[in-house]
Amino acid sequence: QVQLVESGGGLVQPGGSLRLSCAASGIIFSIYTMAWYRQAPGKQRELVAGITDGGTTTYTNSMKGRLAISRDNAKNTVYLQMNSLKPEDTAVYYCNAAFRHEGYWGQGTQVTVSS
């Protein structure tokens, strides 16, 4: 059974930082491309950042320079460091694992940026 469990979300003031974690089980983690998506109320889910099995990273333009995605294959975990957070970053953040035609989602973690 595949499980992706996100953690690290919460309430943060504008300009603050958060580090999200996603622990995977039930997959050969090291061969999967891992990604973070987000979905704000009334909006479509969008890609935030991704990291391939080889470590190549990609970031959404709207948050570029404020993000760092990393993975620890020994811990089956992917991380998303978010800095200089803005109110418009408020959303549910989802972890995704993809390999060829397989894809899995976590349950999401809420990030709220507000003073």
Side-chain angles (χ1 to χ4, degrees):
Q1 181 182 359
V2 178
Q3 282 192 313
L4 301 178
V5 181
E6 301 102 331
S7 60
L11 174 64
V12 62
Q13 291 188 341
S17 298
L18 282 175
R19 188 172 88 149
L20 307 182
S21 299
C22 171
S25 60
I27 59 173
I28 305 173
F29 180 81
S30 61
I31 68 173
Y32 278 72
T33 290
M34 301 300 297
W36 288 94
Y37 288 72
R38 69 181 181 182
Q39 188 167 19
K43 295 188 176 181
Q44 289 189 328
R45 193 172 296 189
E46 62 175 352
L47 176 67
V48 174
I51 183 167
T52 68
D53 58 338
T56 301
T57 58
T58 185
Y59 298 101
T60 181
N61 285 337
S62 64
M63 294 189 76
K64 195 169 286 187
R66 300 190 289 123
L67 296 176
I69 187 170
S70 60
R71 65 190 298 160
D72 185 337
N73 289 340
K75 295 183 178 180
N76 288 0
T77 300
V78 61
Y79 304 97
L80 183 67
Q81 178 68 42
M82 303 189 292
N83 301 318
S84 302
L85 284 163
K86 304 175 182 180
E88 51 264 42
D89 297 322
T90 295
V92 178
Y93 285 70
Y94 296 91
C95 179
N96 175 268
F99 176 71
R100 295 183 181 174
H101 299 295
E102 296 181 11
Y104 303 99
W105 293 95
Q107 82 287 350
T109 186
Q110 176 70 45
V111 171
T112 302
V113 185
S114 175
S115 55

